Amino acid sequence: MSRVGRVERVTKETSVLVEVGLDGTGRVEVSTGVGFYDHMLAQLGKHGLFDLTVKTEGDLHIDSHHTIEDTALALGAAFREALGDKSGIRRFGSASCPLDESLAQVTVDLSGRPYLVHSEPEGMAPMIGPEYDTTMTRHILESFVAQAAICLHVHVPYGRNAHHIVESQFKALARALREASEPDSRATGVPSTKGVL
């Protein structure tokens, strides 16, 4: 069975197309118009081994907020669609990824219930490049979690460089999602005593 999700989201502010294949090789084609965000989404595909296509056109003449947010919403919806009924998956995943002085720890439960716990070091630089507001990282995760319907804990206990702090989160998220969404050869049916996720 092909585990692929495809979502098109069009508003007066943005036009977004996202396609994600869970059983891929990490092939990535991303274009949002926000260079650093493209770089982060590429980390998600590469390290999750997801085949990921993202094409977004947004109102960047205002700022990058709508473009980033709506892309994250579409990505979450596509991920949820790709998971299907979640039969035979591992469900839980966790990963720790260092990037030089920064460390990110991520744990995920593909529970069907959206919930986010997120913490970063205080005093981060407010911007990465000319377009990425570092407060958007939490908002990306909130948007993704809401549409993917997953429980996600992301913790960065230490780090100094804003680029490293954010990138380590995307890498750890990719690895945790990869583990949680992988088929479990010993499992049959949906991994829940409820019989549904």
Side-chain angles (χ1 to χ4, degrees):
M1 183 178 68
S2 176
R3 297 196 300 162
V4 177
R6 180 184 173 92
V7 169
E8 294 185 57
R9 176 186 170 90
V10 179
T11 71
K12 292 181 179 180
E13 297 167 340
T14 62
S15 175
V16 184
L17 167 66
V18 174
E19 183 171 296
V20 58
L22 301 183
D23 303 310
T25 59
R27 177 187 53 77
V28 175
E29 182 183 355
V30 175
S31 176
T32 67
V34 182
F36 182 75
Y37 192 35
D38 289 355
H39 181 45
M40 293 304 97
L41 294 174
Q43 303 304 315
L44 190 66
K46 180 67 174 179
H47 296 287
L49 289 182
F50 306 133
D51 288 342
L52 179 62
T53 299
V54 178
K55 297 178 181 178
T56 302
E57 293 181 3
D59 55 358
L60 293 176
H61 61 285
I62 296 175
D63 68 9
S64 62
H65 186 107
H66 299 143
T67 297
I68 291 172
E69 176 185 45
D70 288 3
T71 300
L73 289 167
L75 180 61
F79 191 82
R80 183 176 186 178
E81 180 181 303
L83 284 169
D85 69 358
K86 303 176 189 173
S87 181
I89 64 167
R90 295 183 183 278
R91 178 179 169 177
F92 300 98
S94 62
S96 294
C97 287
L99 181 51
D100 294 348
E101 86 296 341
S102 299
L103 177 71
Q105 301 165 327
V106 173
T107 303
V108 63
D109 175 9
L110 305 181
S111 61
R113 298 182 307 277
Y115 199 93
L116 174 68
V117 177
H118 179 253
S119 64
E120 295 174 316
E122 294 184 2
M124 284 178 61
M127 298 293 293
I128 300 173
E131 297 166 325
Y132 189 87
D133 178 343
T134 55
T135 64
M136 287 301 293
T137 304
R138 179 184 179 90
H139 194 45
I140 290 165
L141 297 175
E142 288 170 338
S143 301
F144 178 76
V145 162
Q147 293 299 308
I150 64 175
C151 175
L152 179 64
H153 290 237
V154 179
H155 178 50
V156 183
Y158 47 81
R160 291 188 307 274
N161 181 277
H163 187 133
H164 295 168
I165 290 169
V166 177
E167 185 170 338
S168 63
Q169 291 176 69
F170 276 86
K171 287 178 173 176
L173 174 61
R175 297 292 297 192
L177 287 173
R178 174 181 166 184
E179 180 181 347
S181 62
E182 283 181 337
D184 187 338
S185 61
R186 296 174 59 198
T188 58
V190 175
S192 171
T193 55
K194 296 185 180 90
V196 65
L197 286 174

